[in-house]
Each structure stands twice: as structure tokens, then as C-alpha cells.
Amino acid sequence: EIVKFKLKFVGRETLRTKFGKIKTMVFRPLVQSGRVFKEEESLTVWISDDENKIPLRIKAELAVGSIKADLETFKGLKNSFMVIN
């Protein structure tokens, strides 16, 4: 199924993860506010700024609180994972 949606590029950021510091691109997909999300820009996604484009973190402001999810493990990447020391 194909679902069209709008995605806003927020900028670039260095993210501290359990793997080390990683350069990321930050996006905000526009979501429907009301039942689940507080506002249209309540969801933020951090994607690795390398050839892999791995989703590293997702953070959302919900109608009844908030949620944050970080990548725990990965394997079988086509390209090497870029960690900043």
C-alpha cells in the first residue's frame, strides 16, 4: 500500500547513541493531530547521515504523554557504520 505524506527536513544534528556520536538528519513527518498526536509536527525522526540511512531515534509528543525509541541493535549493513569519536 502506498500512503502519501509530507515530510519536513529540520536540519542536521550529531546524536549521542549507545554506539557513539553519529551524524544525523532530522525529519518531521506531518501527522494528523487530535486522537494520538498533539500537533501536526509531534513526531521527530533521526536518520543516520551516511549511505545506510538508518533510523536511530523516534520521538513523539502524544495526546496523553510522550514516547522516545532508540535503535538497540543492527546487523548486515551494506555500508560501514559511521561513528564520530
Side-chain angles (χ1 to χ4, degrees), residues 2-3 5 9-11 13-14 17 19 24 26 30 35 41-42 47 52-55 58 63 65 68 81 83:
I2 297 173
V3 178
F5 66 95
F9 176 67
V10 178
E13 184 178 313
T14 300
T17 71
F19 313 109
T24 65
V26 184
L30 297 181
R35 291 179 49 196
E41 292 189 22
S42 291
I47 307 290
N52 294 302
K53 307 291 188 264
I54 302 169
I58 297 173
K68 176 182 158 188
F81 196 55
V83 177

Side-chain angles (χ1 to χ4, degrees), residues 60-74:
E61 297 296 324
L62 306 175
V64 292
S66 64
I67 188 168
K68 176 182 158 188
D70 285 339
L71 180 70
E72 286 291 316
T73 63
F74 61 89

Side-chain angles (χ1 to χ4, degrees), residues 1 6-7 11 17 22 30 34 37 41-42 47 50 56-57 68 77 80:
E1 180 179 348
K6 291 184 180 182
L7 184 66
T17 71
I22 302 170
L30 297 181
F37 298 101
E41 292 189 22
S42 291
I47 307 290
D50 61 7
L56 296 167
R57 176 174 290 164
K68 176 182 158 188
L77 297 179
S80 61

